[in-house]
Amino acid sequence: MSEELQIDHIAEAVLAQIVGLRGADFDTVERIKSELIGMCEGENGSRARDALETIKRGELLEVQWEIEEVLEATAPQPAEAPEPEPEPEPEPEEEDPNRPLTAADLVAVYDDPTTGILLHRTKKGDRWFLTQVDPMSGQPRTMPLHPEDVKQIKVQLEGSPYWILGA
C-alpha cells in the first residue's frame, strides 16, 4: 500500500471515530476516546495526531474538547533536560581599605565612664580609635590613633580596671 493511501486510510479512520463522537453518550465517548488514544499511540501515531489536529478545527466545541483530551493524553513526553551546572560561588569581594568604618567594624577594648574615654579597635586589621566627649559641644567625638599613640596609651592605662576582657 502506498504511503499516500495509508495516510488517507488513517485520516478516514480518525474521521469515522469523530463522527461517532458527535452526540454520543458518556460511555460511548469514553470508548471512542480510548480507541483514538490507541490509534495515536500506535505505529502511525503521528499521522493520527495530525489528522485529529486538522479535524478538530471544524468541529463543535464539545467535540473539540474531547479531541484535545486525546491529544493531551498522547502528547510526546519532552526529554528530560540535564540538570544545570551549579553556578560558581562568587568570590568574596575584597574590602576597600579606604571605605568609611561603621560601628559594626569596631570592637570596644577600653571603657572608662569616669573620664569618658572609650578605646576601639577594628575587627580586621589593627587600627585604633579614641572616643571622648568634646568639652565645647558636649557630643562624643571619635578620632583615629597613630600606632605610637596606641603604645603610649597602653602603657599609661596598664592595670586599669576599665579594660574590656576578651576584646
Side-chain angles (χ1 to χ4, degrees):
M1 186 184 294
S2 76
E3 188 173 319
E4 201 171 287
L5 285 175
Q6 188 177 8
I7 291 172
D8 287 344
H9 176 69
I10 293 169
E12 286 176 14
V14 169
L15 183 58
Q17 294 293 339
I18 298 300
V19 169
L21 195 60
R22 298 178 191 144
D25 64 14
F26 180 76
D27 291 333
T28 306
V29 167
E30 291 303 313
R31 181 186 53 77
I32 292 172
K33 283 176 22 182
S34 295
E35 289 177 20
L36 286 170
I37 288 173
M39 291 172 71
C40 290
E41 291 176 341
E43 182 180 332
N44 296 311
S46 63
R47 292 182 182 141
R49 286 181 53 80
D50 290 343
L52 280 172
E53 287 283 351
T54 304
I55 294 169
K56 177 178 82 166
R57 295 182 197 124
E59 287 298 322
L60 298 170
L61 190 57
E62 292 83 13
V63 176
Q64 287 182 15
W65 292 340
E66 302 301 338
I67 294 171
E68 265 309 310
E69 286 183 23
V70 171
L71 291 171
E72 286 175 10
T74 60
Q77 298 298 322
E80 287 189 29
E83 289 187 29
E85 293 183 25
E87 293 184 25
E89 292 184 21
E91 294 182 21
E93 296 179 20
E94 290 187 28
E95 290 187 28
D96 180 10
N98 298 324
R99 74 170 172 82
L101 292 174
T102 64
D105 296 324
L106 301 175
V107 177
V109 292
Y110 182 87
D111 186 5
D112 183 350
T114 59
T115 60
I117 293 178
L118 183 61
L119 293 175
H120 305 277
R121 179 177 50 85
T122 55
K123 291 180 180 178
K124 294 181 180 178
D126 196 27
R127 295 171 54 197
W128 286 67
F129 297 86
L130 168 70
T131 301
Q132 69 184 122
V133 176
D134 183 353
M136 298 290 213
S137 66
Q139 297 295 317
R141 190 174 86 173
T142 301
M143 60 194 100
L145 295 172
H146 294 287
E148 305 88 41
D149 295 337
V150 173
K151 290 177 187 173
Q152 183 182 355
I153 290 173
K154 283 182 178 179
V155 169
Q156 283 179 337
L157 299 176
E158 188 177 344
S160 171
Y162 299 112
W163 285 102
I164 298 173
L165 297 176

